[in-house]
Amino acid sequence: MITLYDTTLRDGTQREGLSLSVEDKLRIVSRLDDLGVRYIEGGFPASNPKDEEFFAAVRDLDLKTAVVSAFGSTCRADHRAEEDAGLRALLDTGCEALCIVGKAWDLHVTETLRTSLEENLRMVRDSVAYLKSQGRTVFFDAEHFFDGYARNAEYATAVCREAAEAGADAVVLCDTNGGALPGAVRSVVAAMVESLPGVVFGIHAHNDAACAVANSLVAVDAGCTHVQGTVNGYGERAGNADLVSIVPALVLKMGDDCITRDQLKLLTEVSHFVAETANLSPDPHQPYVGTSAFAHKGGLHASAVSRLPAAYEHVDPTAVGNLARVVVSELAGRASLVMKAKELGVDLAGQPDIASKVIEDIKQLEYRGYSFETADASLEILLKRELGTYEPFFRLESFRCLMEKREDGRVMTEATIKIWVDDERYIATAEGNGPVNALDRAIRLAIGRFYPDLEAIELSDFKVRVLDEKKGTAAVTRVLIESSDGEKSWGTVGVSENIIEASWQALVDSVTYGLSHPERPND
Ligand SMILES: [Zn+2]
């Protein structure tokens, strides 16, 4: 069985423009755990203080099967492993699994590291042995392995042998520059399996030659049993190997049980969730999970596809949680909707009229730019409106935002809101560093005394995406707000041509959801 190792949160965040907050990372960890990914690399603690915060917080997550791992490198040249600050930082994360990278290409040892080939072998051996002596699962990433092997196979093999003999649980062959082709990967992996029998080999491929997925799959064919990659192939330059393509190939085409068939049905959802959390648009043409991945070209009758799907589809779209385009418009969002309704105690499956009305409304909203992938709280509020159980906590008469740019460079925003609770009218003015912050404070000022639960609610993240950029300033803006009450977090969405209006919608949903789900100690 193949061991899946996800590095979206570490190697994936090397992608230009991709950044994840600690809260984002924790939510992604939970989704990957649901999907059944065995190891989740959380970050590089020695290089990034945000990662330390993540490793402290992730210990509190209740994971089903996933093990969180931390990434680092071997000890430095001429330093003892026991005294190396980087290895210490790895151990201090408390992670059960650790992954360290070391040089496998002689050129990099002498020219980048500027040390001797012998000393590099010592660093690999001592670092792996030291981490093993501390009772951890240790993976060794052999950096630039394929390029190194092409130039000095004997040395690249020796590096892997040192790591394995020191106790590494897997020796991961890395195509760091991403230029390897499948034929070479297959024969090199086969040669390694033959020359180091009994060693567990892994593959870590980059996509610079558009072969990362292919290279991962041929490496498995040739004997690798550990596969590293990222969700949606996010990563530096052209990206990493895309687990979203690798996993269904392993399960559906190669007969591997790395995750269950039920878990595989979460693939589309997880892929889109990670994209939205990274504030990137999901790629409609992404294999397996794209909205067009099973869209049949015009002229091909839906009835022909449904009569003989295997003649037109390489896998059953429902196996990966996707839907054939011909039915997408009918069923989009239905599964999560039915689930959400169930949480509210409503059996939507038994109320087809309401269900189809809600689906129709969601379709309209999505057409206008709404996205409910990460805005589960807004979905719940929408559903309550349709069911007639929505109870607003306040009614807006009006709000006004003023922005002031000051001589010293500071920008201040002032918001005034006029708001009704029952038959009472309240007016409040507050300042903030931006319109959302000012409006948020004004709401609290106006109605905080009626709703003490408001105090616990915090806006933890705020994402803005401009949709349809071709329209310039008339483009539609989507605002996603993440909120938290210290115990749970929830997402809300707003869409408008006006960014402040979009923010307001998301803000009102956030407050409404938070107040209707108060955190009570003994609940
Ligand atoms: Zn990499």
Side-chain angles (χ1 to χ4, degrees):
M1 193 171 82
I2 303 299
T3 303
L4 297 174
Y5 186 104
D6 176 274
T7 179
T8 309
L9 305 182
R10 201 269 307 171
D11 228 5
T13 58
Q14 300 296 311
R15 176 182 162 125
E16 268 174 272
L18 193 156
S19 94
L20 297 170
S21 67
V22 170
E23 186 61 34
D24 290 338
K25 283 183 155 199
L26 295 171
R27 281 154 53 95
I28 290 173
V29 168
S30 295
R31 294 297 184 106
L32 291 174
D33 180 41
D34 292 342
L35 183 63
V37 173
R38 186 76 179 95
Y39 291 98
I40 302 168
E41 192 170 80
F44 193 168
S47 81
N48 186 349
K50 213 163 86 176
D51 284 352
E52 281 180 30
E53 198 188 328
F54 163 82
F55 284 112
V58 80
R59 285 183 220 139
D60 296 334
L61 279 191
D62 219 357
L63 298 178
K64 294 191 272 277
T65 53
V67 173
V68 174
S69 143
F71 179 85
S73 53
T74 58
C75 67
R76 288 180 301 152
D78 309 315
H79 282 72
R80 285 161 49 81
E82 292 80 353
E83 287 159 7
D84 188 85
L87 294 181
R88 172 54 36 206
L90 277 182
L91 290 167
D92 286 347
T93 61
C95 289
E96 203 182 309
L98 305 172
C99 183
I100 53 169
V101 63
K103 307 270 181 229
W105 183 357
D106 58 358
L107 178 76
H108 272 270
V109 177
T110 53
E111 300 309 309
T112 326
L113 223 48
R114 295 180 177 278
T115 190
S116 70
L117 298 182
E118 260 316 306
E119 172 61 4
N120 181 55
L121 293 179
R122 197 275 311 166
M123 290 152 61
V124 170
R125 180 171 61 237
D126 284 4
S127 302
V128 172
Y130 173 56
L131 297 179
K132 282 307 293 179
S133 77
Q134 303 299 301
R136 311 299 170 91
T137 297
V138 178
F139 302 122
F140 176 72
D141 271 7
E143 192 184 28
H144 294 294
F145 173 80
F146 291 94
D147 293 313
Y149 190 95
R151 286 154 186 86
N152 186 344
E154 199 185 325
Y155 187 72
T157 309
V159 170
C160 294
R161 186 186 298 114
E162 289 295 342
E165 287 178 356
D169 295 275
V171 175
V172 183
L173 309 177
C174 301
D175 182 22
T176 310
N177 287 350
L181 298 181
V185 170
R186 181 193 293 275
S187 60
V188 171
V189 171
M192 289 303 288
V193 169
E194 201 181 307
S195 57
L196 300 178
V199 172
V200 173
F201 282 108
I203 180 79
H204 176 113
H206 279 260
N207 201 36
D208 300 74
C211 292
V213 170
N215 286 342
S216 304
L217 297 176
V218 295
V220 167
D221 259 346
C224 283
T225 55
H226 169 118
V227 175
Q228 301 196 346
T230 64
V231 175
N232 301 332
Y234 294 152
E236 206 177 353
R237 308 186 308 273
N240 282 57
D242 186 356
L243 285 180
V244 170
S245 286
I246 292 173
V247 171
L250 289 173
V251 175
L252 299 173
K253 296 168 189 266
M254 294 163 81
D256 189 82
D257 298 324
C258 54
I259 65 173
T260 67
R261 298 272 172 152
D262 278 346
Q263 288 169 325
L264 189 63
K265 291 194 168 80
L266 301 173
L267 190 71
T268 299
E269 200 184 307
V270 169
S271 163
H272 293 187
F273 177 83
V274 172
E276 294 292 354
T277 302
N279 208 10
L280 295 166
S281 298
D283 174 6
H285 302 288
Q286 189 174 358
Y288 295 98
V289 299
T291 48
S292 297
F294 297 93
H296 300 288
K297 63 182 177 190
L300 179 62
H301 276 290
S303 61
V305 179
S306 58
R307 208 169 53 239
L308 204 56
Y312 301 97
E313 290 170 343
H314 72 120
V315 297
D316 174 1
T318 61
V320 292
N322 206 343
L323 296 161
R325 170 61 70 79
V326 285
V327 292
V328 163
S329 56
E330 299 301 315
L331 290 173
R334 178 167 277 197
S336 54
L337 200 64
V338 169
M339 233 165 67
K340 198 79 214 168
K342 223 184 210 165
E343 282 170 32
L344 295 174
V346 178
D347 175 21
L348 214 51
Q351 303 193 52
D353 287 357
I354 294 183
S356 55
K357 167 95 171 52
V358 175
I359 287 163
E360 189 50 42
D361 288 352
I362 289 178
K363 263 164 52 189
Q364 289 298 326
L365 287 168
E366 285 180 341
Y367 178 74
R368 282 166 47 200
Y370 285 80
S371 154
F372 296 97
E373 305 275 356
T374 58
D376 49 343
S378 286
L379 181 65
E380 178 180 307
I381 289 167
L382 172 80
L383 195 56
K384 281 184 167 174
R385 283 183 205 272
E386 305 278 353
L387 294 168
T389 58
Y390 174 71
E391 281 177 42
F393 290 89
F394 54 85
R395 184 166 59 80
L396 178 74
E397 180 183 307
S398 66
F399 72 72
R400 186 170 63 204
C401 278
L402 298 171
M403 210 199 82
E404 182 179 290
K405 170 92 171 171
R406 294 181 185 162
E407 196 180 6
D408 63 6
R410 278 194 305 154
V411 179
M412 288 304 293
T413 311
E414 185 182 296
T416 298
I417 65 171
K418 297 173 185 172
I419 216 167
W420 292 76
V421 177
D422 298 326
D423 294 330
E424 293 289 328
R425 182 173 188 248
Y426 301 92
I427 302 177
T429 297
E431 287 180 317
N433 55 17
V436 180
N437 184 234
L439 282 167
D440 181 41
R441 287 185 178 173
I443 291 182
R444 288 160 195 267
L445 262 181
I447 60 171
R449 80 196 95 136
F450 303 107
Y451 302 119
D453 291 325
L454 252 182
E455 211 181 309
I457 301 172
E458 256 179 47
L459 307 188
S460 52
D461 199 10
F462 178 77
K463 289 182 182 128
V464 176
R465 181 149 1 131
V466 176
L467 308 169
D468 193 3
E469 291 162 41
K470 283 190 245 30
K471 282 197 228 154
T473 49
V476 169
T477 303
R478 179 201 293 161
V479 170
L480 292 166
I481 291 180
E482 271 294 309
S483 309
S484 159
D485 60 9
E487 287 291 320
K488 60 179 179 304
S489 60
W490 60 93
T492 54
V493 60
V495 171
S496 170
E497 287 186 357
N498 183 308
I499 184 172
I500 298 175
E501 164 59 14
S503 307
W504 170 260
Q505 294 169 10
L507 184 62
V508 170
D509 275 6
S510 158
V511 168
T512 304
Y513 183 89
L515 290 178
S516 49
H517 297 268
E519 199 51 50
R520 294 272 149 69
N522 294 317
D523 247 8

